[in-house]
Amino acid sequence: MPLGEDGPSWKKRAQDIREIYEFRETLGTGAFSEVVLAEEKTSRKLVAIKCIAKKALEGKETSLENEIAVLHKIKHPNIVALDDIYESGGHLYLIMQLVSGGELFDRIVEKGFYTERDASQLIRQILDAVQYLHDMGIVHRDLKPENLLYYSPDLDSKIMISDFGLSKIEGSGSVMSTACGTPGYVAPEVLAQKPYSKAVDCWSIGVIAYILLCGYPPFYDENDAKLFEQILRAEYEFDSPYWDDISESAKDFIQHLMEKDPSQRFTCEQALQHPWIAGDTALDKNIHQSVSEQIKKNFAKSKWKQAFNATAVVRHMRKLQLGTSQEGPGQTTPTSPCDLLEAGASNGSDSGGCDRSLGPSSHRLPQD
């Protein structure tokens, strides 16, 4: 059914979204979308609104409807919720749950103490969420640290998978656009352009676990072709001295997830039963210094705009808590980002889903 006609019951009509929400600031931009921090005028609840220009979606309407219908059904404590969908003449607005605890790497670097057990607890939450998706027949396809945000600033905050499925909506599921976005997390079978399954997510979780324990990616080369070769052959090592203090159980866990053959790779269910997750083999030794040093060197903030700027949310929440917000109750963004989007969609600014902002700008060797 074409967008703009009477659609499914979960979609609401809105002539002007700003009659319902007060736009605060832009949190990020994608190929043909913009994420805006907004406040619902009646409840004063803060949300993240993903504005999608319809002009950029011509020919993709049916698949978009299907994707959003699936997203609307997803309810899991570790997955950012899609609360509402509004439609106007020129845009779709996805009203997303706002998470305010900041990015995974930032939190690790800020900590004074960080252990294998901390990493194990993070990975367990991710596995639980992805198993939920897999049980629903959904493959995420774009798991990476940049998509992992803390729910709140609390020290014991849960981790959340953010922007779930929206990458698929934006057409970045193809091999080409995945490769130009974040090649370091892509499973070998995806790069090989073979049919793939839920196992691709399990590979990505293995890569995330690897990084959480050493602070640098398992595959690194300035040359993309050589990087792809490493991934295709599943060539990675537990380099000394960075892995000297990491348990053999942790390494075994990673090897089962970063298994080249997807049929032999651990499923989420198997990974959740591994002793490093379900048992007590994750060590309590403080590895903060070495891991945080590597994160700072290998995952410096990209000069490109992040697809979702979690830091902007944290900054805004702190302003609210301090009572120093400069914005009055009736103020709105002078020019709506969504207005700019529509202009961009009509002048061909859609980059085809290839957004290099979605990951580290390069993959380097571990830094001394």
Side-chain angles (χ1 to χ4, degrees), residues 125-144:
Q125 294 176 71
I126 298 164
L127 283 167
D128 191 64
V130 176
Q131 182 180 29
Y132 167 86
L133 295 176
H134 289 179
D135 287 346
M136 291 182 71
I138 300 166
V139 183
H140 187 292
R141 304 196 300 187
D142 196 27
L143 290 168
K144 56 193 173 187

Side-chain angles (χ1 to χ4, degrees), residues 123-240:
I123 293 295
R124 180 188 54 75
Q125 294 176 71
I126 298 164
L127 283 167
D128 191 64
V130 176
Q131 182 180 29
Y132 167 86
L133 295 176
H134 289 179
D135 287 346
M136 291 182 71
I138 300 166
V139 183
H140 187 292
R141 304 196 300 187
D142 196 27
L143 290 168
K144 56 193 173 187
E146 292 84 353
N147 279 348
L148 302 175
L149 305 175
Y150 281 94
Y151 176 71
S152 74
D154 299 342
L155 288 176
D156 60 349
S157 169
K158 63 186 177 181
I159 199 77
M160 306 286 286
I161 298 177
S162 73
D163 209 21
F164 164 72
L166 301 181
S167 58
K168 200 188 296 185
I169 288 173
E170 293 189 3
S172 63
S174 69
V175 171
M176 184 56 67
S177 57
T178 300
C180 82
T182 35
Y185 305 98
V186 177
E189 62 268 26
V190 177
L191 287 181
Q193 302 189 44
K194 295 178 180 175
Y196 61 84
S197 64
K198 299 169 185 176
V200 300
D201 288 342
C202 298
W203 171 277
S204 299
I205 294 170
V207 174
I208 293 167
Y210 184 103
I211 296 167
L212 287 178
L213 292 174
C214 66
Y216 62 86
F219 307 104
Y220 36 82
D221 200 291
E222 299 292 340
N223 180 293
D224 274 358
K226 291 181 179 177
L227 176 63
F228 291 174
E229 285 176 18
Q230 287 180 19
I231 297 170
L232 285 166
R233 292 198 293 262
E235 282 182 3
Y236 62 93
E237 296 178 5
F238 298 114
D239 314 278
S240 182

Side-chain angles (χ1 to χ4, degrees), residues 36-89:
V36 180
L37 176 67
E39 182 178 286
E40 188 176 19
K41 290 184 177 181
T42 53
S43 68
R44 312 299 291 174
K45 177 185 176 184
L46 288 170
V47 296
I49 300 182
K50 184 144 188 149
C51 313
I52 305 176
K54 287 188 192 174
K55 284 185 180 178
L57 299 174
E58 290 172 1
K60 304 176 186 175
E61 294 91 346
T62 303
S63 61
L64 180 69
E65 295 276 16
N66 292 340
E67 294 289 356
I68 294 177
V70 170
L71 289 178
H72 206 225
K73 293 175 185 172
I74 294 170
K75 304 295 176 193
H76 187 278
N78 298 106
I79 299 174
V80 173
L82 173 60
D83 291 336
D84 257 323
I85 303 103
Y86 285 90
E87 181 179 17
S88 69

Side-chain angles (χ1 to χ4, degrees), residues 148-367:
L148 302 175
L149 305 175
Y150 281 94
Y151 176 71
S152 74
D154 299 342
L155 288 176
D156 60 349
S157 169
K158 63 186 177 181
I159 199 77
M160 306 286 286
I161 298 177
S162 73
D163 209 21
F164 164 72
L166 301 181
S167 58
K168 200 188 296 185
I169 288 173
E170 293 189 3
S172 63
S174 69
V175 171
M176 184 56 67
S177 57
T178 300
C180 82
T182 35
Y185 305 98
V186 177
E189 62 268 26
V190 177
L191 287 181
Q193 302 189 44
K194 295 178 180 175
Y196 61 84
S197 64
K198 299 169 185 176
V200 300
D201 288 342
C202 298
W203 171 277
S204 299
I205 294 170
V207 174
I208 293 167
Y210 184 103
I211 296 167
L212 287 178
L213 292 174
C214 66
Y216 62 86
F219 307 104
Y220 36 82
D221 200 291
E222 299 292 340
N223 180 293
D224 274 358
K226 291 181 179 177
L227 176 63
F228 291 174
E229 285 176 18
Q230 287 180 19
I231 297 170
L232 285 166
R233 292 198 293 262
E235 282 182 3
Y236 62 93
E237 296 178 5
F238 298 114
D239 314 278
S240 182
Y242 309 98
W243 287 84
D244 291 356
D245 292 330
I246 303 300
S247 68
E248 291 304 312
S249 181
K251 295 172 187 174
D252 179 76
F253 174 78
I254 289 167
Q255 286 170 326
H256 278 95
L257 286 170
M258 292 181 64
E259 159 63 51
K260 181 181 175 181
D261 182 352
S263 68
Q264 298 299 311
R265 196 176 300 154
F266 261 10
T267 62
C268 288
E269 185 177 7
Q270 289 173 310
L272 282 164
Q273 293 169 0
H274 190 278
W276 192 72
I277 297 292
D280 59 358
T281 61
L283 302 180
D284 287 317
K285 179 182 173 65
N286 187 9
I287 56 173
H288 177 264
Q289 183 176 354
S290 61
V291 173
S292 62
E293 282 178 5
Q294 291 302 317
I295 286 175
K296 284 186 281 189
K297 289 172 181 173
N298 290 288
F299 296 92
K301 292 289 182 188
S302 170
K303 64 182 179 181
W304 298 90
K305 218 173 183 183
Q306 291 291 323
F308 184 91
N309 187 349
T311 308
V313 178
V314 175
R315 184 176 67 244
H316 194 88
M317 298 299 283
R318 285 174 182 163
K319 276 201 297 185
L320 291 177
Q321 287 162 3
L322 293 170
T324 57
S325 176
Q326 301 299 307
E327 294 156 316
Q331 284 182 273
T332 55
T333 309
T335 304
S336 166
C338 298
D339 295 335
L340 298 176
L341 260 183
E342 190 153 13
S346 61
N347 68 17
S349 68
D350 179 7
S351 63
C354 172
D355 186 352
R356 286 193 178 273
S357 71
L358 299 181
S361 55
S362 62
H363 297 262
R364 294 183 286 278
L365 285 161
Q367 303 287 315

